[in-house]
Amino acid sequence: MNPENLWNMWNRMLQASPWEIVWGLLSSPVVCAALGVALALVVARVRRGSSTGRTVLREERVAVGAIALVVGVVWIADLVLRGYVLDMSATVSWWRFALAPIAAAAGMAIWGAPLRTKVPRRTVDATSIARRTWTTFGSRPGIRILLALMAVTACVVVVFGQTSAALEPGVAAHVALDVPNVDAPPIVTVFPGWAYGIPLLAGVVALAAAVVFALHRNAVRPFSDRVRLEAQRSGRSDAARDLVTLALAVMLVVLGGLLHMARSSAVTTMTVMTDSGAEARHDVSLPHADLILAGGFVAPFLQIGGCMLLALLVVRAIGLVRARPRRSASPVEVPA
């Protein structure tokens, strides 16, 4: 962003109403990220009196928090580089929405691959050998919400992809908006078409596969013979819940970004100078106007919620690390 753009933005802010200033700030993903982190700190402070986690699977939960931190840093770094450091206004940044899901999927795959029992296995009994799947632990409602959110994102990608158009050989990344009853060429703007949607769909599929893999590995590994079975089940449920929360946070962030880009690319009215020198305003034919306008309204709140969940995972991991020295002297749990 060059100094001229900053000066123009400052002049617009001086002439804008308070509501326009607030909405303009919410249109920035960086501001949404800052608000999400602030809300996470408030929630963590309110929950300070509650338990920061059980003694079982502490390292795994800390690792999930580390993945959330990496995903957030990668996402913010991409935003800052594209928006404030490098001039990429003429570049189709196809990785824009796929980066966070792919980073989270890679982290979950690394998280689940080495899982094993480091201590003697529990004696075989009917409870410990019961069939366990990727849905055994964790929140069933959370998994359903995650699947629904992925399905909604896929549907939005398909709708936006069919709406988009390619101005040159390549994948569609623009939209042509017609102005009815006016002898003027269509208005062409950048739009989250297939150029952005196809990588995002690949990222969503990779994230879904990584979630299933990590939850499966968390569920099927043998129980330890040195810890009470109920404590191990509770620890695995906590770890599975953190994994689902991480995936939910990523999906909220990317869906909010997709809807925000579609809204910022949409034009609803056009001002035309008549032969007499007067200004005439005309409505622009905006495909799927209700979806784009409503999506633009909820987009900041989706991103704030996603960033809050990511920050909560990081704060919880920090709390678990800090609590480790105090609990290291606690006696080792023995089997029931």
Side-chain angles (χ1 to χ4, degrees):
M1 183 177 294
N2 55 45
E4 183 179 355
N5 290 336
L6 290 175
W7 178 254
N8 293 334
M9 182 184 300
W10 175 254
N11 289 332
R12 289 196 299 267
M13 290 181 64
L14 292 178
Q15 300 173 1
S17 65
W19 169 251
E20 291 174 338
I21 294 175
V22 171
W23 194 249
L25 291 175
L26 288 177
S27 65
S28 170
V30 177
V31 174
C32 293
L35 291 175
V37 172
L39 287 175
L41 294 176
V42 173
V43 173
R45 187 172 183 84
V46 171
R47 292 182 177 179
R48 175 175 291 185
S50 61
S51 175
T52 58
R54 298 175 177 87
T55 58
V56 182
L57 302 189
R58 184 185 307 279
E59 291 77 11
E60 284 83 351
R61 299 192 68 191
V62 172
V64 175
I67 297 171
L69 177 61
V70 171
V71 171
V73 170
V74 169
W75 178 63
I76 291 294
D78 177 67
L79 288 175
V80 173
L81 287 176
R82 286 188 297 101
Y84 301 94
V85 178
L86 304 176
D87 184 9
M88 303 185 66
S89 57
T91 304
V92 177
S93 51
W94 54 267
W95 64 89
R96 178 171 179 172
F97 305 114
L99 187 61
I102 291 177
M108 289 186 183
I110 296 173
W111 184 91
L115 288 185
R116 61 188 179 88
T117 300
K118 301 178 182 179
V119 294
R121 298 185 178 185
R122 185 176 180 86
T123 304
V124 175
D125 55 35
T127 305
S128 61
I129 65 174
R131 184 174 182 270
R132 302 187 299 273
T133 67
W134 66 279
T135 60
T136 299
F137 300 103
S139 172
R140 296 289 181 90
I143 294 176
R144 296 190 188 99
I145 294 173
L146 175 61
L147 295 177
L149 197 58
M150 289 180 171
V152 170
T153 302
C155 292
V156 171
V157 166
V158 172
V159 170
F160 287 169
Q162 293 178 342
T163 304
S164 61
L167 301 183
E168 56 187 19
V171 186
H174 296 79
V175 64
L177 305 176
D178 296 323
V179 185
N181 304 322
V182 175
D183 187 15
I187 302 173
V188 178
T189 62
V190 178
F191 193 76
W194 292 120
Y196 299 93
I198 292 177
L200 174 56
L201 286 178
V204 171
V205 172
L207 180 60
V211 170
V212 173
F213 171 75
L215 292 178
H216 175 76
R217 293 283 292 178
N218 177 59
V220 301
R221 55 176 162 168
F223 291 106
S224 169
D225 196 36
R226 295 182 179 175
V227 184
R228 289 187 298 108
L229 183 60
E230 185 60 30
Q232 294 184 72
R233 289 184 175 275
S234 298
R236 296 190 187 195
S237 295
D238 290 339
R241 193 178 301 109
D242 288 350
L243 290 170
V244 175
T245 300
L246 173 59
L248 277 172
V250 171
M251 292 307 305
L252 289 173
V253 167
V254 297
L255 179 58
L258 188 72
L259 295 174
H260 171 70
M261 183 180 181
R263 180 62 186 93
S264 62
S265 304
V267 178
T268 56
T269 59
M270 176 182 179
T271 302
V272 179
M273 298 295 295
T274 63
D275 296 336
S276 60
E279 293 184 352
R281 297 176 65 86
H282 299 273
D283 293 331
V284 177
S285 178
L286 178 62
H288 308 290
D290 294 338
L291 171 62
I292 293 175
L293 296 178
F297 178 78
V298 302
F301 305 103
L302 294 177
Q303 290 196 321
I304 291 173
C307 292
M308 183 186 70
L309 292 179
L310 286 176
L312 279 175
L313 290 174
V314 175
V315 172
R316 185 177 301 155
I318 294 174
L320 291 171
V321 171
R322 289 180 176 178
R324 182 182 304 169
R326 298 196 302 267
R327 297 185 180 182
S328 59
S330 59
V332 178
E333 297 184 69
V334 296

